[in-house]
Amino acid sequence: MTRAEAKERNRRALLDAAFQVVSRDGYRARLEEIAERADVTTGAIYSLFGSKNGLVVAVVADYLRPYYEEIERAVPAGLDLLEAVDAFARYYRRMCDAPDALPRLSLQITLLDMALHDPDLGSRLAESIRAQENHLIAVFTGRSHNGSTVTPQQAQRLTTALRALFVGLGQGIPLGLAPGADEQFFADTARALASGMSLVDHDADTS
């Protein structure tokens, strides 16, 4: 194994170990246990990620990246905005029934708890999540809507609103708080949000 291969092996092992320990223990997660599970020293964590917070942020980015890449495949090109929102809503609802739905919900709640205990981590997590959401912003940008083309700023506003909607619904499903929230419900709700909200660029209005 070359030095580069060993470094990547250690990085992958630490990400996998940290996902398990952080999902279980939250801000109480111990670097010593993470390192032991990955079969490395705690020094490797600092060498590869800089700090415990750096490792947690990397775990979130690693976890979200394939999710957003899959969204790009689930929402075909050529759809107008409402059709694209419909396809995204249906994909998100299917994810709520995926085998990893409960661990994913647990991780969401754990990360929120960690962010509340550590404002620096919360700020870094928010920055990382926004970076991943750029994939979704790109999915909506350039699509036709009401005779015009959706700008990146408009797509960002819509993405923020859809995240709030789906996170709430997604958490309600396993808790039994969203009865009847099937694919059609998700699609209808998302379409109504996209149709009813103002996608106008406020900066353009005030310039």
Side-chain angles (χ1 to χ4, degrees):
M1 184 180 295
T2 66
R3 183 174 182 179
E5 289 171 339
K7 182 177 180 180
E8 179 56 29
R9 178 268 168 203
N10 290 344
R11 178 182 175 278
R12 181 72 262 163
L14 282 168
L15 289 173
D16 292 341
F19 178 85
Q20 297 297 326
V21 177
V22 169
S23 295
R24 186 193 68 202
D25 296 341
Y27 69 92
R28 297 182 183 87
R30 296 172 55 252
L31 290 183
E32 291 79 7
E33 181 179 356
I34 294 172
E36 183 179 354
R37 282 174 174 251
D39 195 27
V40 299
T41 66
T42 54
I45 296 175
Y46 293 101
S47 174
L48 290 167
F49 301 102
S51 64
K52 179 180 177 179
N53 283 357
L55 174 58
V56 173
V57 171
V59 167
V60 173
D62 183 70
Y63 185 77
L64 289 178
R65 188 176 299 110
Y67 165 71
Y68 281 108
E69 290 173 351
E70 181 61 29
I71 289 174
E72 293 175 335
R73 293 189 287 271
V75 184
L79 303 180
D80 66 23
L81 179 65
L82 293 186
E83 291 169 335
V85 166
D86 187 294
F88 170 56
R90 293 177 184 277
Y91 167 79
Y92 196 103
R93 178 60 183 87
R94 291 193 295 272
M95 290 292 293
C96 294
D97 293 329
D100 67 340
L102 288 179
R104 183 158 24 93
L105 175 59
S106 177
L107 181 62
Q108 287 179 8
I109 296 171
T110 297
L111 290 173
L112 177 59
D113 183 52
M114 294 179 71
L116 292 175
H117 280 85
D118 187 338
D120 173 68
L121 175 60
S123 176
R124 295 180 65 177
L125 285 173
E127 182 180 353
S128 177
I129 292 170
R130 283 194 297 268
Q132 293 299 323
E133 284 187 346
N134 285 335
H135 291 282
L136 186 55
I137 292 170
V139 165
F140 293 137
T141 298
R143 296 187 186 269
S144 60
H145 181 61
N146 290 339
S148 61
T149 300
V150 177
T151 68
Q153 292 76 22
Q154 292 167 341
Q156 183 176 27
R157 284 169 53 79
L158 177 60
T159 296
T160 298
L162 288 173
R163 169 166 39 83
L165 172 65
F166 289 153
V167 166
L169 286 174
Q171 291 178 356
I173 288 172
L175 298 175
L177 300 177
D182 56 10
E183 273 193 37
Q184 190 62 52
F185 180 88
F186 267 60
D188 290 345
T189 305
R191 276 179 170 267
L193 186 151
S195 299
M197 73 176 292
S198 172
L199 295 180
V200 175
D201 295 334
H202 290 291
D203 292 341
D205 286 347
T206 58
S207 61

